[in-house]
Amino acid sequence: MTGSAEREKGTPGRLAELLIDASTEAVDAAGGHSGGVYLRSSTPGLLRLAVLAGLPGPLFRPWGRLHADSKFPVADAYRLGVHVVLPNATETMRRYPQFAASLPFQFGSLYVPVIGGSTTYGVLTVLRPSAPDATEVLCGLDRMTRLAEELGGALADLEDEHKDEDGPYVAWDGEAVCVQAAATHRPERRMARFAWDPATALVTGDRSLHALLGVEPAEFPGTAQALADVVAPGDAYQVMAALRATAAGKPPPLPLRVRTADGSVRLLDLWTPATGPLPPDGGYPVSGVVIEPGPASEGDSAADLLPDGVFCLDRLGLVTYANPRAAQLLGRPREELLGRPLWEGVPWLNQIGCEDQLRGALLSLGPVHFHVRRPDEPEQEQREGRSEGRAQESYASDWLAMAVHPGRDGLTCTVAPSTRVAGSPLPLVPVHADGDGGPANGVTSLAPLYRPIVLAIALTEAVTARQVSAVVMKELLPAFGGRRLAIYLLQERHLYLAWETGFPQGFLAPFDGVGLDTRLPGVETLTTGRPLFFDSMQQLADAYPGIPLDAEVGARAFLPLIASGRPVGSAILGFDRSRSFSSEERAVLTALAGLIAHAMEKAQRYDSEAALARGLQQALLPRRLSAHPQVETAGRYLPGTQGMEVGGDWYDVVEAGDGLALVIGDVQGHGVQAAATMGQLRSAVRAFALGDRPPDEVMSGTNHLLIDLDPGQFASCCYLRLDPASGLVRVARAGHPPPLIRTPDGRTRVWDIPGGVVLGVDPHAQYPVAELQLEPDSILALYTDGLVERPGVDIDDGIAALRVALAKAGGPAARP
């Protein structure tokens, strides 16, 4: 449980302990098998996975960072402050297709925001077996909610204690702390906690410490050396060195693997709960945990005799048991397997396909079967100098048949030689990269496996060029450890900068608008259609002498954006460290560039149509409203949609005899067609108004016109005829929200008048007329539903909010 959320010096141990306790309790409360806490980070809008309970962190690193506005359940729970309940994979796919595509397994999940006071700190989440519907998980959700409330209060108190420090104290910027979830059955003396204070030289432990170490409390001196001697008699010096390094704020690679007096394995994990300057009296206090797999059971002894290989993993991926046959087939001595993560103990299993099978077993709790090919010349055979005959005997078969049988507390795996591969075998495709694009101690990048699917789904929801660029920044850059992105689009044989992030301010300005005859990598990747990869900035400088560089170190990828053979532009990916691009990464990035190009091409067409629609709508809306000496009028149009930002809403004020006609309407849909239909209806209503036709005739005539035009659309409308001299208002409406009235004393009310169906549906529709005597200095407000409708909110609540705003508008000269 290494606390890796470093804040300059030390680790916020109290913060980690709160999150660990909440995570493990939530998993148990909600009947889950794993869970964790996402916490805000010091980067605005970025959430980090702080604690992961019951799952191995390296297998889930791609989900360790999420933008708060991404289409993921964690982000919605954090941003909107709501519970998200996904009882099964079907509901997950329906509501969050990107999330379902990235983890396509049968499991349910719950997400509860962690709020303290007015601050949302993060999200408590639990993964659990699938359920038919949400009713089965509601009890667990209630218990999770209480835990999240308690955690939010504790985090608020913790932040208040450190309010004088720079930046938010309750934030997470490191890798996730991985801990075991509460087990349904755990061997006795499994784990014990302790604390060491260098200032007093005292060691204190929980109730299980003395039992695990096999010493009576009265016989234990309570010193660090005594602890080291009983934890690992043969490796006591390693334990002492690790304790001192952690107290100095420089913890060694953990967990530390040590041996007891009888040669069995123990794991020692350490962290420091303190922050700030290093104390002069010995260092930071140290917290730790001793994990002991325990002696082999009778079942393990029996499994030792099986002809097939059998090995067991806990839910963090540590090998807790391996019989001799498994060790032989995997090509590793048993002592090098026990107590180590599987991908560390058997490095050649560190591959994308194998990881995905393990993820499926851990999340869905269902068995998985697959074949995997062993390397021809195992690295350990050569290193240990074993005989050629021994190597040939151990590796007579190239293929292994593997099966993984999950339980709540771990995985039981079988392995056997296979002479015939059933189905598609898993390829050996290791892609070593960490979150920064550098080596990750054998941790595999999952970008080639699931990012094309996730990016494709996300791009289907992006409409404008800016939205496409934002999706690329959020989905593509994190997958490959990138920090910088620039997208150029082609216009009239020149490349213009459409999006940039991460580059020094103003650095890209000289490259904006460069012609296709310029020798630059961003140009040449488009003109040749070939992606360009540079492992270092020096490589880039050597290939393009004299080119300005934005950094001394790093790597760059230049990708052509070509859609169906048509050039669209180019994309630049920047990495802060030098790195190599594997053949798999190059292939995936090239394929993703094609997806981005198609999305950009669609976005450009959309932007062109939007510009046309905006111009059409601006031309059709009134430049000025008809005036009357006794009436003050005002109108305003505000786009209420993302993307097209153009709809079929219109308004008008027309002279009607000796009075005024006020009209407002809304054509269904958005875009050029809606704007064109709106223009025809506005002209028709205006013609009827100039003839001073009664409101019901105006509605009926406009309804017949829309039906005759048959544009496949309908429209709502509200038409009023006002006599300024008498204050008499006559009104008819067709499926439109009712007007609001504000009297001179400041009170507001809804004018609830009868109405007919929307225009364009029923040629025989009737539109009754209502009358109202308007007092002098009153305000009459007409509006479309886009002003009062919000997703998940009743329209009546929106109208009530508008009434409140109208009441606060002030005197008669004020207008909403």
Side-chain angles (χ1 to χ4, degrees), residues 432-476:
H432 305 291
D434 65 6
D436 298 320
N441 300 322
V443 176
T444 304
S445 166
L446 302 179
L449 182 65
Y450 78 93
R451 280 295 173 179
I453 302 173
V454 174
L455 183 62
I457 294 174
L459 287 175
T460 62
E461 301 178 359
V463 177
T464 67
R466 290 189 62 82
Q467 290 173 344
V468 171
S469 301
V471 166
V472 174
M473 179 189 71
K474 295 171 185 175
E475 297 294 343
L476 185 61

Side-chain angles (χ1 to χ4, degrees), residues 105 152 173 220 244 565 639 799 812:
F105 309 115
D173 293 307
F220 182 60
R244 294 190 185 102
I799 293 175

